[in-house]
Amino acid sequence: MLRKTKTAILSLISAAVLCSCSQTAEPPKSDTAAYNRDVFAMDTYMSMKAYGENAEKALEDSEALILRLESELSVTDENSFIHKLNSSENGTAQVSDSAAEIIAKALEIGKKTDGALDITLYPLLKEWGFTTGDYKVPDKDVIDSILAGTGWENVSLSGNTVTIPEGYQVDLGALAKGYTSDSIISQMRTDGVDSAVVSLGGNVQALGEKPDGSAWRVSVRDPFAPDTDMCIVEVRDKAVITSGNYERFFTDDSGKSYWHILDPEDGCPADNGLVSVTIIGDSGLDCDALSTALFVMGKDKAVEYQRREGNFDMILVTDDKHILYTSGIDFTNISSMDAEVLSLD
Ligand code: AMP
Ligand code: MG
């Protein structure tokens, strides 16, 4: 029998921002007091903290935004655009602007990463049981036959019209939270907030800096002990987004673990030497797409990609317990692993 492991509780424990977040509490006494709001959506605990006189309205608006995006992007909600696409008879559907923007990014990063990011793996994720928690290790011939009906390059997007081949199913789980944190930050700006931080299941995005002028201190989990922190990064106006093998996994009788990020090459959990990838950059959507893709690609290709593209920082953790990070971040190691700066050549 397979031992099932869920990590929703871990998501709650490590909100990943080093500040306490709770439901909106006492009315703030000054402009710099914090307002907090917690929401459970997209199968994740989400915490938001905003400062200033416009914070309360911004949090209200942000909560409504999260719920709207969840209903548009969910792969399971029968009314979502993605569900409509996946169940449409001719493989074509009109999707919302949000879904179209995410799909465009997924295709762009799919191309740039030689298909490491592939939004058509949903039938395989179902077969492994990652969509239901009813886990199993499928037979290789079953994996191969499902894999034959996948491929990001067969998704076409024209304006808001998406077309997929018969039998294909799309899932935006690798990018949806990053898009959502981008959207919350821009909602906060629109509402007149200039200091805020959100954590969507440990994926953090910061607006501006703390009211006292200091940077946000964001913790990243130790993939070998996911209820403890591994390092702190200090950021202003950045997203800090992690993909890790500890986020959703199960273990078979022999003790081997299988996790939810699949390698489109063989349809099995991506096992290319990395156990966690954190991307730090300006756009939550880009960081989320890249955290998943670089996890799949493994260390050497991830480093090569970062050097080539150069517009983000990253923290990689290898399966033999080394931390590697790029020099553009303010990084403090608080783990017992060694941490090495990636050289630029
Ligand atoms: P993240 O936590 O952002 O790395 O996203 C993981 C989620 O993306 C999984 O739960 C799946 O829904 C989906 N997924 C898994 N493997 C891939 C892949 N290679 N490309 C795109 N999406 C994937
Ligand atoms: Mg991702």
Side-chain angles (χ1 to χ4, degrees):
M1 243 192 28
L2 300 172
R3 187 156 53 84
K4 297 173 187 175
T5 313
K6 277 240 160 191
T7 53
I9 294 171
L10 291 176
S11 304
L12 183 60
I13 296 168
S14 180
V17 188
L18 299 182
C19 54
S20 63
C21 295
S22 61
Q23 294 286 354
T24 302
E26 295 287 296
K29 294 182 183 58
S30 79
D31 241 6
T32 54
Y35 286 87
N36 298 301
R37 179 76 59 110
D38 293 347
V39 180
F40 185 80
M42 302 183 183
D43 211 15
T44 298
Y45 290 93
M46 302 184 169
S47 307
M48 301 182 280
K49 180 187 277 284
Y51 290 88
E53 57 182 341
N54 302 315
E56 216 169 5
K57 175 174 189 317
L59 289 171
E60 285 280 308
D61 291 347
S62 298
E63 180 168 355
L65 175 70
I66 290 169
L67 299 178
R68 176 173 67 74
L69 290 177
E70 178 178 45
S71 71
E72 285 182 21
L73 305 174
S74 161
V75 71
T76 49
D77 183 333
E78 292 197 354
N79 297 313
S80 83
F81 292 99
I82 300 305
H83 193 275
K84 284 192 180 123
L85 172 66
N86 289 344
S87 54
S88 82
E89 284 194 354
N90 60 359
T92 296
Q94 290 288 318
V95 301
S96 61
D97 290 348
S98 303
E101 195 180 327
I102 298 172
I103 291 170
K105 178 58 69 180
L107 300 182
E108 176 201 322
I109 301 292
K111 185 169 188 188
K112 279 186 173 170
T113 61
D114 287 331
L117 187 77
D118 188 338
I119 53 169
T120 68
L121 299 179
Y122 193 62
L124 267 173
L125 290 157
K126 283 201 285 195
E127 188 64 26
W128 280 92
F130 288 114
T131 55
T132 56
D134 205 359
Y135 300 120
K136 68 164 181 280
V137 181
D139 290 339
K140 185 172 179 324
D141 51 348
V142 174
I143 293 177
D144 287 345
S145 76
I146 299 174
L147 201 53
T150 65
W152 66 274
E153 68 280 14
N154 298 320
V155 176
S156 78
L157 175 71
S158 170
N160 286 37
T161 305
V162 188
T163 306
I164 51 177
E166 197 186 337
Y168 271 51
Q169 291 190 324
V170 160
D171 139 58
L172 304 180
L175 310 98
K177 281 187 231 133
Y179 181 86
T180 302
S181 57
D182 276 343
S183 306
I184 296 169
I185 295 299
S186 78
Q187 181 67 53
M188 298 255 187
R189 274 206 185 94
T190 303
D191 281 339
V193 169
D194 57 16
S195 174
V197 66
V198 299
S199 170
L200 313 189
N203 288 338
V204 175
Q205 191 156 345
L207 168 59
E209 55 193 9
K210 287 197 210 163
D212 66 5
S214 63
W216 298 103
R217 288 164 54 78
V218 179
S219 65
V220 178
R221 275 186 231 162
D222 182 341
F224 296 100
D227 51 350
T228 59
D229 295 331
M230 169 181 83
C231 64
I232 312 285
V233 282
E234 298 203 18
V235 294
R236 293 176 168 85
D237 278 318
K238 291 269 185 269
V240 181
I241 293 191
T242 300
S243 291
N245 70 346
Y246 55 87
E247 285 172 335
R248 183 165 301 160
F249 68 96
F250 66 94
T251 309
D252 71 11
D253 287 341
S254 68
K256 183 169 164 51
S257 291
Y258 302 87
W259 45 85
H260 66 306
I261 302 175
L262 301 183
D263 190 335
E265 285 282 316
D266 63 4
C268 293
D271 197 6
N272 297 315
L274 295 177
V275 291
S276 107
V277 173
T278 300
I279 307 289
I280 301 105
D282 295 334
S283 147
L285 178 60
D286 283 88
C287 291
D288 204 358
L290 288 176
S291 69
T292 310
L294 270 51
F295 184 99
V296 171
M297 288 155 74
K299 184 193 134 196
D300 293 345
K301 286 188 184 162
V303 170
E304 199 182 293
Y305 185 93
Q306 197 276 338
R307 283 184 186 147
R308 195 168 66 237
E309 297 293 322
N311 56 356
F312 63 92
D313 278 283
M314 65 184 184
I315 303 165
L316 309 178
V317 184
T318 62
D319 56 9
D320 57 356
K321 298 198 173 181
H322 295 288
I323 306 171
L324 303 160
Y325 65 99
T326 50
S327 58
I329 43 172
D330 189 335
F331 170 96
T332 308
N333 182 14
I334 54 170
S335 77
S336 56
M337 287 184 271
D338 65 77
E340 186 189 323
V341 188
L342 286 159
S343 69
L344 290 171
D345 42 48

